[in-house]
Amino acid sequence: MTDYTLLPIGHVESPLTNLADAPRQGDEGAPNAWLVIFPAYREALKDLTVGEDILLITWFDRALRDVLAVHPRSDPSRPVTGVFSTRSPDRPNPLGLHRVTILAIDNLRLHVNNLEALDGTPLIDIKPVLGDLSER
Amino acid sequence: MTDYTLLPIGHVESPLTNLADAPRQGDEGAPNAWLVIFPAYREALKDLTVGEDILLITWFDRALRDVLAVHPRSDPSRPVTGVFSTRSPDRPNPLGLHRVTILAIDNLRLHVNNLEALDGTPLIDIKPVLGDLSER
């Protein structure tokens, strides 16, 4: 029996506290933020380096899971679109995907740029950006 | 109280049944596969189109969740590396991230290319690849 329960590995510390203020994507004026990682995951973190681009998977804990279609970018002039064709946080599994650059590392805290996730958002995973085949 | 339980939206149908045969990444010789989506999510799927590139999030249901560091690509000559710097399926939250192209759509089934996930792997989310700001 598969267990589908996520274990947050940490959370986001950000000046963004209000959903209405959050940019739609990280490259649309999102602020820098800190990722605070739980001590249990120290070993998984040890090879991340300043300057590196990484992918974050977050859990949009304030999203609605029973929404299957939305107006993209909450723009009522755009036709209602299935959520699998949008980046809406409202979706069956409200996972966020973010590409950021590591600006600084302080023990279990990572400073990153351009993160549109709200303060307190649970962090689920960190993955490297895949380079060319020759670099793997 | 946040609920961190994933609800699979479907599963992968693939000729890959054996972990030892699976390529390390989709662009390293992975086969085409079908995504079989559950009827409850029909509306979320309705705007996907043939030829489109999408991102899949899967749940590596045969992975180990207590592994924090691995030899990258299972190559013992490479130093043990924290899993957040690798794409190892063994990690605290065994989410897979895959970029594929939709080759065909047949009702609730999507045919996609280059998918390294094993047959039966639960599918968790589908997201569009983000284009330039002007295209959003």
Side-chain angles (χ1 to χ4, degrees):
Chain A
M1 180 74 190
T2 300
D3 176 9
Y4 293 110
T5 304
L6 297 170
L7 304 167
I9 60 165
H11 67 271
V12 172
E13 267 186 20
S14 168
L16 280 179
T17 55
N18 186 341
L19 202 54
D21 298 336
R24 307 237 163 249
Q25 298 299 332
D27 57 2
E28 299 179 31
N32 299 343
W34 286 92
L35 309 176
V36 185
I37 311 298
F38 298 137
Y41 302 106
R42 182 185 299 277
E43 191 185 358
L45 201 69
K46 71 185 175 70
D47 293 292
L48 296 175
T49 55
V50 173
E52 186 179 356
D53 274 19
I54 52 176
L55 299 171
L56 306 178
I57 297 180
T58 58
W59 183 257
F60 290 128
D61 55 333
R62 279 148 277 192
L64 303 174
R65 302 188 64 175
D66 57 354
V67 171
L68 297 179
V70 296
H71 292 289
R73 301 174 64 81
S74 303
D75 176 350
S77 75
R78 295 175 71 164
V80 169
T81 303
V83 292
F84 296 156
S85 294
T86 82
R87 290 291 187 106
S88 168
D90 297 328
R91 57 202 309 118
N93 294 295
L95 294 167
L97 181 64
H98 320 264
R99 181 174 175 152
V100 299
T101 304
I102 302 177
L103 303 174
I105 301 177
D106 175 11
N107 192 11
L108 290 166
R109 298 166 58 88
L110 306 180
H111 200 207
V112 301
N113 69 351
N114 292 359
L115 184 59
E116 78 277 20
L118 294 177
D119 187 56
T121 298
L123 182 64
I124 304 301
D125 200 7
I126 301 173
K127 293 183 189 296
V129 175
L130 284 179
D132 288 341
L133 278 168
S134 60
E135 299 168 355
R136 291 180 193 166
Chain B
M1 181 74 190
T2 300
D3 177 8
Y4 293 110
T5 303
L6 298 170
L7 304 166
I9 60 165
H11 68 271
V12 172
E13 268 186 20
S14 169
L16 280 179
T17 54
N18 187 342
L19 201 54
D21 297 337
R24 307 236 164 248
Q25 298 299 330
D27 58 3
E28 298 179 32
N32 299 344
W34 286 93
L35 309 176
V36 185
I37 312 297
F38 298 137
Y41 302 106
R42 182 185 297 278
E43 192 186 357
L45 201 69
K46 71 184 176 69
D47 294 293
L48 296 175
T49 54
V50 172
E52 185 179 357
D53 274 19
I54 52 175
L55 300 172
L56 307 178
I57 297 180
T58 58
W59 183 257
F60 290 127
D61 55 332
R62 280 148 277 192
L64 303 174
R65 302 187 64 174
D66 57 354
V67 171
L68 297 179
V70 296
H71 291 288
R73 302 174 63 81
S74 303
D75 177 349
S77 75
R78 295 176 69 165
V80 169
T81 303
V83 292
F84 296 157
S85 295
T86 82
R87 290 292 185 106
S88 168
D90 296 329
R91 55 202 308 116
N93 294 295
L95 294 167
L97 181 65
H98 320 264
R99 181 173 176 153
V100 299
T101 304
I102 302 178
L103 303 174
I105 300 177
D106 175 13
N107 193 11
L108 290 166
R109 297 165 59 88
L110 306 179
H111 200 206
V112 301
N113 68 352
N114 291 359
L115 185 60
E116 78 276 22
L118 295 178
D119 187 56
T121 298
L123 182 63
I124 303 301
D125 201 8
I126 300 174
K127 294 183 189 295
V129 175
L130 284 179
D132 287 341
L133 278 169
S134 62
E135 298 167 356
R136 291 179 194 168

